[in-house]
Amino acid sequence: MEASSVGGVFEDVVKKEMIIVLLGPPGSGKGTQAAYLKQYLKIPHIATGDILREAVKNSLPLGVKAQEYMKQGALVPDELIIEMMAHRLEKPDCQKGFILDGFPRSEVQAKAFDQTLAEKGWTISKTINLTVHKQLLIERLSGRRTCGKCGTNYHIKYNPPKKMNLCDLCDGELYQREDDKTETIDRRLNVYQQQTAPLIKYYQDRLTNISGDQPKEEIGRVILAKSNDKI
Ligand code: AMP
């Protein structure tokens, strides 16, 4: 989608400070949408899963503590995530706003985030909940392949790379995330239902539900348009 195709809406959106929270189960397209919106809004895409995977890859203390939980499809303890996000949100690139993908993922995290917002005088511009049927989530997650070098995601059926198993952007080798394997997907979806889905209620007065079953350009267009609404 070209910037011009969202016209006046886009013009208005980029003038304001933007804090967008993307909620939705694993496989609902939060990462895809965040990467997409980032092009238009020129604010960072903060994906807690990516930060954690990078920490694991580099054997940082955070990664060492988090990796077992991640492998099992469980949530990393709240206190580690809250501390990690406190550092991330201090960075200067967050001053004009940011897109959150994968945070908050529990009520404890949502409350900690509310406190950070209050301290900084920030307000959430939009909380988007992407809804997708369970069968489609399973298909998306099990077919996902990720670039080991730059983290770009592909899908073996819906978004295959041009060269088999190689990233279109950086030629990095694609791999299947440990937690995208069939055994772990079910557990992640259950963890989502039990620990993250309650956030739908937490944010109910400021939540916009969008069907994540549509083409990504259409979802992106709707999010940009809704981000300009008051609620
Ligand atoms: P994701 O890439 O968002 O699917 O996250 C991958 C994994 O990282 C999750 O299954 C969790 O183990 C961990 N993780 C990511 N974000 C969070 C969070 N906000 N709270 C707890 N664990 C998280």
Side-chain angles (χ1 to χ4, degrees):
M1 179 168 63
E2 294 299 317
S4 57
S5 70
V6 285
V9 169
F10 172 71
E11 297 298 319
D12 288 348
V13 163
V14 291
K15 276 183 209 147
K16 292 193 295 186
E17 170 194 286
M18 274 279 144
I19 295 178
I20 297 184
V21 178
L22 296 175
L23 296 178
S28 59
K30 299 186 297 295
T32 304
Q33 280 310 314
Y36 188 75
L37 293 170
K38 179 185 161 178
Q39 300 172 63
Y40 296 103
L41 301 173
K42 314 274 186 243
I43 50 177
H45 163 197
I46 303 178
T48 41
D50 287 349
I51 301 175
L52 290 165
R53 276 185 290 279
E54 199 56 27
V56 170
K57 199 162 115 186
N58 296 318
S59 304
L60 301 180
L62 170 67
V64 173
K65 287 180 202 151
Q67 65 184 347
E68 220 24 65
Y69 297 98
M70 295 172 74
K71 227 190 220 166
Q72 290 171 16
L75 291 191
V76 172
D78 287 328
E79 57 275 19
L80 291 178
I81 299 291
I82 290 166
E83 194 186 334
M84 172 182 105
M85 285 305 284
H87 282 120
R88 181 63 189 88
L89 296 177
E90 280 300 326
K91 296 205 174 159
D93 65 342
C94 292
Q95 287 312 308
K96 290 212 173 111
F98 43 86
I99 306 161
L100 291 180
D101 157 13
F103 176 86
R105 235 167 164 122
S106 69
E107 221 168 286
V108 173
Q109 293 178 23
K111 285 185 176 148
F113 183 49
D114 273 348
Q115 200 179 326
T116 304
L117 292 169
E119 281 164 15
K120 293 197 176 280
W122 291 341
T123 46
I124 296 177
S125 315
K126 207 78 205 167
T127 309
I128 304 283
N129 182 37
L130 293 171
T131 59
V132 177
H133 291 109
K134 187 173 175 188
Q135 207 38 50
L136 186 56
L137 292 175
I138 294 171
E139 199 191 352
R140 281 187 183 174
L141 292 168
S142 58
R144 180 160 68 182
R145 298 293 181 271
T146 304
C147 173
K149 228 160 126 188
C150 74
T152 301
N153 285 320
Y154 295 85
H155 190 280
I156 48 173
K157 186 166 153 196
Y158 300 118
N159 179 26
K162 293 196 182 86
K163 287 185 258 170
M164 200 155 90
N165 269 330
L166 291 180
C167 178
D168 293 349
L169 303 180
C170 73
D171 254 359
E173 212 164 308
L174 306 188
Y175 73 104
Q176 183 175 34
R177 274 169 48 175
E178 198 62 44
D179 60 351
D180 279 345
K181 297 196 171 146
T182 324
E183 317 80 83
T184 318
I185 290 175
D186 241 6
R187 204 167 316 136
R188 287 167 69 202
L189 294 177
N190 286 336
V191 165
Y192 168 79
Q193 275 310 331
Q194 285 162 21
Q195 292 172 265
T196 309
L199 291 184
I200 294 171
K201 190 148 181 252
Y202 185 85
Y203 286 116
Q204 64 187 349
D205 55 340
R206 39 187 165 151
L207 192 72
T208 302
N209 289 298
I210 298 181
S211 164
D213 292 349
Q214 316 169 73
K216 66 177 183 195
E217 292 79 6
E218 178 56 17
I219 302 170
R221 194 193 64 74
V222 176
I223 295 177
L224 282 174
K226 299 262 182 199
S227 298
N228 213 26
D229 298 346
K230 291 257 174 335
I231 292 203

